Amino acid sequence: MNLDEKRKKRLASEYGETWNPVKGGVRVALVYPNSYSVGMSNLGFQAIYHILNQRDDVTCERVFLPDREGREKAETREDLCRSFPSGRLLRTFDILAFSVSFELDYVHLVEILQKNKIPPLRSQREYGRDPMVWIGGVALSINPEPLADFADVMFIGEAEEMIQEAMDAIAGNPVRDREGFKLFSRACLGLEGVYFPHAYAFDYDSLGRVDRVEHDPDFPQRIRRRWIRDLDRMPTVSRVMTPDTELNDMFLVELDRGCGRHCRFCAAGYIYRPPRFRSLDGVMRSVREGLSHTDRIGLVGAAVSDYPRMSELVREIRSCGARISVSSLRADSLTPELMSALAESGHKTISLAPEGGSQRMREIINKGIEEKDILNACRMALGYRILNLRLYFMVGLPSEETVDIEAIADLVLKIREIQKQAGREQGRIGRITVSLNSFVPKPHTPFQWFPMNKKDALAKKIGYIKKRLHQKGNITVIQDLPKWSVIQGLLSRGDRRVSSLLVSVVSGGGNWAQALKESGEVLAGSPFRERERDEIFPWDIVEPGCRRDYLYQEYQRSASGRLTPACPEDLACHRCGVCGESEERHG
C-alpha cells in the first residue's frame, strides 16, 4: 500500500469533527513531525486543529510524518508528506504550523521541510516562493532555541489563544509577501508568548557558552510564556476520532494542566504551573459530547488521580454507562472508587511511576511518595483484579549511587512477591513491565544545572537491573537506548548552533555520529557539562514564571534530600514566583 492509499484508508476510518475548507482563506498545514498514530493521540495538536478548522478565513489541513517503510517507498521526494484530507503538497500552503512535543522529533521537522523542497533554514527561504514556518508545542516552551533558525514565528506556552490572535494579526496582510510579514510581526508585538527569532542574536564566549543576547529594541527582551487561566473556556478533547492509534477509538478529555507536586526532574510540572483543574461540570459536558461517539472515555492530565473531585467524577461517568481509562496515576492518591471504576471498565493494567527505587532517591527528586505507598497501590490494583503492573523508573539521576540502582531491582522483586500472593488467591497471575528510562536534565527545572550521565554509564546501570530481573517469571524489562537519551540531552539544552547539526544529520541520511564529529567537542560534549550558577542559558529568552533563584535553591535542596511541599490548594504562596506572576497579570 503506497502513501496515498494509506492516507485515504485512514481518512475513511475517521469520524467526529468534519473538515471545513474556506474558499480564498489562508491555507494552513498543521504538521505533527511524527507518525499519524502519535499525532492523532496528542490533544494539543487536536485542539489547535479544531480552533483553526472553525475559522471562516482559514483552510486547515493536517500533515504527519510517514512511517519509515513509507518514507523509503515514497515515489518522489514531493510525495513524502501530503495533507489530510485533500492530499496537497506542503509547498502549496501559505503557513506550515508545526506542533513539536519531543526533542527527537526536531530532526523529523527538518526532514519534512527538506524532502518537500522547502529550505529548512529561515535565512534560505524566499517570500513569495516558500510558506511561512510557525512552530509551537511543549518542547518549544521548554527551550525554543534549537529550532529558532528554522522558524519565522514561535509560540511559547499554551497556544489556544495565541494562535487565534496570530491569525487575526495576519488577516488582510499578504501572507507570502516580505512587507506583509513585517506588518504581521508588528501587529503581534503586544501578544504575549509570540516569539520572532529573527529579532534576536546570540553571541558566545571562548568556551562556547552564551555570552550575551542582543535584540531588536522594538521586540521584548524576554518572551513570557502564555497560559490559560480558566480551562473551562477551552475544552481540550478528542476532535477527530480514529481507530488508528494506541488509544483505539477512545474519547480523551483533559482534566487539568500543571502539577503542584514539585518533582525536580519534571519540566511539565514547572512550565505548566500553576496547577489548574477543569470544573466537574465542564468535564462532564465534554464527557457527554464524547459519549455521542464512543462509550470509552480517557481522562488525561499531569496526575489524573490528583483531580480534587475524582470520586464524584468517576461516579457520574459510570452512571452514564461509560468505560473509563486514565493516563497517569500517583501511588499515594488512588481511591477505591477510581480503582473499582477502572476494573469495571475492563482495565487490565495500571501504570505507576516510582521513578526512584530507594527512598533517598525519591527524596532527592522530591517525588513525595514512600515505598509503602507504592506497595499499597499495587495491592489495591491487584485486589480489584487489575493484574498487570507497569512501573516507570529513571537511571542517571543527580547524586545517584550504586545502592540506588540496586534498590530499583529490590523494589520490583518486592512487588513481584505481592503479585504472586494475589495470583495464588485469585487463581491467575499477571505481568510486571518495568520501563527503564535515562534521566535527561531539562531547562526550567532545578536539575537544569546538572551534568548528564554518559552513554556507557547509563548502559551499565540499565544492564545491572536487567540482569537482576532476568528470567524472573512474569517480569518484562523495556528500556530506552542511552544513545538516544544523550542526543535528547544535547537537544533539550541546546542553542541555535544545533540547527546546523540537525541539517547535517538529515543531509547525511541520519548519521548522528558523523554529524556530531563534524560539529566539534563543544556541542558534542554539552550534555555532560555542569552549568555554572549564573551562566546565561539559551532558554533564558523565555520567562516561564518560576524564578531562577527558586530553581537553584531547589537544586541545592535536592543534594540533601530536603522535601518541598506541594502547592497549597488555594495557590496562596509565593515560593516559586508563578502565582505572583498570576496576580500581576490577572489581578
Side-chain angles (χ1 to χ4, degrees):
M1 186 183 299
N2 64 31
L3 293 178
D4 194 50
E5 290 170 337
K6 185 176 288 188
R7 179 180 59 82
K8 290 177 180 177
K9 181 179 178 181
R10 284 173 167 163
L11 282 168
S13 68
E14 290 183 346
Y15 56 100
E17 184 168 309
T18 57
W19 183 45
N20 178 38
V22 176
K23 187 176 181 179
V26 177
R27 295 167 298 181
V28 178
L30 183 61
V31 188
Y32 197 89
N34 206 307
S35 68
Y36 174 89
S37 60
V38 174
M40 291 302 293
S41 301
N42 186 284
L43 279 186
F45 179 81
Q46 291 233 16
I48 298 303
Y49 176 68
H50 168 72
I51 288 169
L52 294 177
N53 194 40
Q54 298 303 302
R55 292 183 65 103
D56 61 7
D57 57 353
V58 172
T59 293
C60 181
E61 301 193 52
R62 293 164 289 142
V63 175
F64 307 94
L65 182 74
D67 58 30
R68 183 168 297 280
E69 180 184 4
R71 281 137 68 190
E72 290 172 353
K73 290 182 178 179
E75 289 144 5
T76 69
R77 292 166 64 92
E78 289 182 295
D79 278 333
L80 178 69
C81 295
R82 286 185 178 267
S83 64
F84 283 66
S86 76
R88 295 178 69 100
L89 295 172
L90 260 66
R91 57 187 174 81
T92 67
F93 285 89
D94 300 312
I95 297 168
L96 305 183
F98 285 86
S99 177
V100 185
S101 299
F102 309 108
E103 289 92 349
L104 293 179
D105 284 342
Y106 293 175
V107 71
H108 296 152
L109 180 149
V110 178
E111 180 183 1
I112 287 170
L113 291 172
Q114 191 173 96
K115 291 188 176 180
N116 285 278
K117 297 187 177 180
I118 300 166
L121 294 170
R122 179 181 63 253
S123 60
Q124 295 175 349
R125 293 194 293 270
E126 294 182 11
Y127 293 101
R129 182 192 69 184
D130 301 311
M132 269 202 290
V133 173
W134 295 8
I135 310 178
V138 62
L140 274 291
S141 298
I142 296 171
N143 179 14
E145 291 312 302
L147 294 180
D149 283 343
F150 304 117
D152 294 293
V153 190
M154 305 181 104
F155 297 88
I156 309 301
E158 298 167 6
E160 290 97 326
E161 293 173 329
M162 282 189 285
I163 197 74
Q164 288 275 40
E165 294 165 351
M167 292 309 307
D168 290 343
I170 210 166
N173 293 318
V175 178
R176 292 197 182 193
D177 179 85
R178 181 183 298 274
E179 189 59 33
F181 179 77
K182 288 181 180 179
L183 294 172
F184 165 62
S185 63
R186 298 296 172 183
C188 289
L189 281 178
L191 301 183
E192 200 167 82
V194 181
Y195 175 31
F196 288 87
H198 75 273
Y200 301 79
F202 286 70
D203 293 323
Y204 305 94
D205 64 19
S206 59
L207 298 177
R209 301 168 302 187
V210 176
D211 185 46
R212 66 180 183 276
V213 182
E214 299 178 351
H215 69 284
D216 185 316
D218 290 336
F219 291 79
Q221 184 175 0
R222 298 182 72 194
I223 310 301
R224 269 190 163 181
R225 63 116 205 189
R226 187 74 163 269
W227 59 277
I228 297 169
R229 187 176 182 84
D230 179 8
L231 294 182
D232 280 345
R233 292 194 305 105
M234 297 281 182
T236 303
V237 300
S238 299
R239 298 294 180 178
V240 178
M241 305 285 291
T242 172
D244 197 5
T245 69
E246 291 183 7
L247 303 171
N248 190 21
D249 287 324
M250 187 180 297
F251 188 86
L252 303 181
V253 179
E254 182 187 57
L255 293 186
D256 61 70
R257 291 188 192 174
C259 177
R261 294 283 192 160
H262 297 253
C263 294
R264 295 179 176 122
F265 61 87
C266 181
Y270 289 91
I271 66 166
Y272 283 121
R273 201 176 289 183
R276 291 149 288 153
F277 299 94
R278 298 186 189 278
S279 69
L280 180 60
D281 288 344
V283 173
M284 285 307 302
R285 282 194 296 272
S286 295
V287 167
R288 285 188 282 271
E289 176 187 346
L291 290 176
S292 65
H293 302 298
T294 178
D295 70 343
R296 300 181 66 213
I297 302 297
L299 304 178
V300 178
V304 168
S305 50
D306 280 354
Y307 185 71
R309 301 182 69 180
M310 177 56 71
S311 295
E312 295 173 76
L313 176 61
V314 165
R315 286 196 296 271
E316 289 205 30
I317 294 176
R318 290 295 294 153
S319 70
C320 296
R323 292 179 290 166
I324 298 174
S325 182
V326 295
S327 64
S328 59
L329 295 171
R330 276 188 60 96
D332 59 346
S333 59
L334 304 188
T335 65
E337 292 90 347
L338 176 57
M339 298 310 297
S340 176
L342 293 177
E344 292 171 0
S345 299
H347 253 256
K348 305 299 183 184
T349 304
I350 185 174
S351 297
L352 300 170
E355 312 293 5
S358 67
Q359 185 60 31
R360 187 186 82 91
M361 186 51 61
R362 290 191 294 272
E363 289 173 353
I364 285 172
I365 65 177
N366 207 59
K367 184 65 180 179
I369 58 174
E370 299 180 6
E371 185 174 286
K372 65 179 182 180
D373 298 317
I374 300 164
L375 300 181
N376 286 339
C378 294
R379 290 190 186 98
M380 183 183 291
L382 295 166
Y384 282 94
R385 295 185 176 272
I386 300 176
L387 302 181
N388 301 309
L389 305 171
R390 190 178 186 103
L391 307 171
Y392 291 90
F393 294 96
M394 288 189 290
V395 302
L397 287 160
S399 303
E400 186 176 74
E401 299 175 0
T402 300
V403 67
D404 301 306
I405 297 300
E406 294 170 346
I408 293 176
D410 293 340
L411 179 57
V412 172
L413 293 175
K414 288 179 185 179
I415 293 171
R416 179 173 179 262
E417 288 303 311
I418 294 172
Q419 190 185 56
K420 285 171 63 179
Q421 177 62 35
R424 285 191 289 267
E425 295 171 358
Q426 298 177 14
R428 54 184 298 229
I429 190 169
R431 294 203 62 81
I432 297 174
T433 301
V434 178
S435 178
L436 301 177
N437 304 284
S438 302
F439 169 64
V440 176
K442 291 299 180 76
H444 301 300
T445 72
F447 291 155
Q448 64 185 345
W449 286 272
F450 180 70
M452 187 175 178
N453 282 200
K454 291 189 175 181
K455 179 181 68 173
D456 290 347
L458 293 169
K460 183 178 180 180
K461 293 173 181 180
I462 290 171
Y464 169 82
I465 298 168
K466 292 178 71 175
K467 185 177 180 180
R468 282 279 309 276
L469 301 179
H470 182 59
Q471 292 186 337
K472 301 291 184 182
N474 72 296
I475 294 178
T476 300
V477 179
I478 60 176
Q479 64 170 88
D480 62 10
L481 293 176
K483 167 193 171 181
W484 293 113
S485 298
V486 168
I487 289 173
Q488 183 188 358
L490 184 156
L491 299 177
S492 70
R493 291 189 291 181
D495 53 49
R496 295 193 181 189
R497 290 170 292 187
V498 168
S499 60
S500 59
L501 171 66
L502 293 170
V503 171
S504 294
V505 169
V506 174
S507 299
N511 190 334
W512 278 93
Q514 182 62 32
L516 284 167
K517 182 179 180 180
E518 293 172 355
S519 70
E521 181 55 35
V522 169
L523 191 58
S526 64
F528 318 117
R529 180 175 67 81
E530 184 173 11
R531 271 58 176 174
E532 296 182 8
R533 175 174 181 170
D534 297 321
E535 182 176 333
I536 300 173
F537 296 141
W539 54 92
D540 284 343
I541 197 74
V542 174
E543 189 176 334
C546 287
R547 298 191 314 273
R548 183 175 172 132
D549 64 325
Y550 165 79
L551 295 177
Y552 195 77
Q553 182 185 61
E554 282 293 290
Y555 184 42
Q556 292 177 308
R557 288 170 68 90
S558 73
S560 57
R562 295 172 63 190
L563 291 176
T564 297
C567 296
E569 289 187 12
D570 60 4
L571 302 180
C573 80
H574 299 278
R575 280 180 292 168
C576 71
V578 168
C579 292
E581 173 199 45
S582 168
E583 292 175 5
E584 176 187 335
R585 289 202 226 175
H586 304 285

